[in-house]
Amino acid sequence: MTSLSQTGALAAGQFLALALVVAGAAFVSMYLARKHLAAGEGRSEGADGVFWDVFAGLVVVVPAVLIASFTWPWAGLALGMLAAVTALAAFAAVPRLLRRQESRRAARKTQLMNEAAAERHKNALARWQRYELDPGYSIDYPAMSDPRQPETAALIRAIKAAGRPGGRTDRGSADTAYAPAVDQLERALAAAERAAGVNPAGLHGPDRAHS
């Protein structure tokens, strides 16, 4: 009685192991196949990739089903059905998984861009504030503080559009407009400086000596 019980437990364990292998192979095979289809490759390259993905899955699934069938036909049928159901479920679910992965990659990219933009934002504002706070710069380049100048007015609008330095990074990857706003701020600052006659080569920071 004990021997039969142990044999049954071993058979159940083997079937479970085969089921995990079959389900895993079917899912991975379909995942890779759908990923090839979604990669935007050429028709021949995509079809070739899908063929080898499916073939690799069958190389694992078919022997497992045959081994189970030799031991117990119903086990082979159950594994075959498990493989088919898993493949169909993966076929339906993989596009959503791929979209989530792409969304996470895009969110991470936006977050990194926003962090870099925050540093550029601070530098741009520090550069502009010299013309507001440093008496020497105010005297040398009065147009930089004159909102009647079109370029200065555009700069002020760009500063308002960019917001507080680093403040918009709190929204993380949700704010895809922050980095472009900082780009525009930098362009507007450069344009205002050109219009005011600023020579960038002659600027050495807010502590430069004024003649």
Side-chain angles (χ1 to χ4, degrees):
M1 186 70 177
T2 302
S3 177
L4 289 175
S5 175
Q6 291 175 345
T7 302
L10 180 61
Q14 290 174 333
F15 178 79
L16 178 60
L18 287 174
L20 292 175
V21 170
V22 165
F27 181 87
V28 171
S29 175
M30 188 56 62
Y31 172 84
L32 294 175
R34 288 304 300 262
K35 192 172 183 179
H36 269 114
L37 290 176
E41 299 173 338
R43 180 175 299 179
S44 59
E45 294 179 0
D48 187 62
V50 170
F51 169 79
W52 287 110
D53 293 333
V54 174
F55 179 79
L58 292 175
V59 167
V60 177
V61 171
V62 172
V65 171
L66 291 177
I67 291 172
S69 298
F70 290 146
T71 305
W72 185 35
W74 287 107
L77 178 62
L79 289 178
M81 293 179 62
L82 175 63
V85 170
T86 302
L88 290 175
F91 187 86
V94 165
R96 291 194 297 272
L97 292 176
L98 294 177
R99 285 195 295 270
R100 288 179 184 175
Q101 292 175 357
E102 182 59 30
S103 178
R104 284 195 294 267
R105 282 193 293 268
R108 179 57 180 166
K109 181 179 178 181
T110 300
Q111 182 177 357
L112 292 175
M113 290 177 61
N114 286 349
E115 290 172 358
E119 187 64 26
R120 293 189 292 114
H121 192 176
K122 293 176 184 178
N123 293 336
L125 286 186
R127 184 169 138 201
W128 171 71
Q129 286 172 349
R130 293 181 302 187
Y131 304 105
E132 294 286 326
L133 304 178
D134 188 301
Y137 280 100
S138 298
I139 295 172
D140 291 344
Y141 310 109
M144 292 298 297
S145 301
D146 187 356
R148 293 172 298 180
Q149 299 294 327
E151 292 81 5
T152 304
L155 171 59
I156 294 173
R157 289 194 297 270
I159 291 173
K160 292 179 179 178
R164 181 170 58 86
R168 291 171 62 169
T169 59
D170 296 340
R171 285 177 263 178
S173 60
D175 194 349
T176 57
Y178 178 56
V182 174
D183 293 340
Q184 179 58 33
L185 168 57
E186 291 177 323
R187 289 192 294 269
L189 177 57
E193 287 179 329
R194 286 194 301 270
V198 176
N199 179 14
L203 300 180
H204 302 289
D207 296 327
R208 72 174 177 90
H210 298 284
S211 55

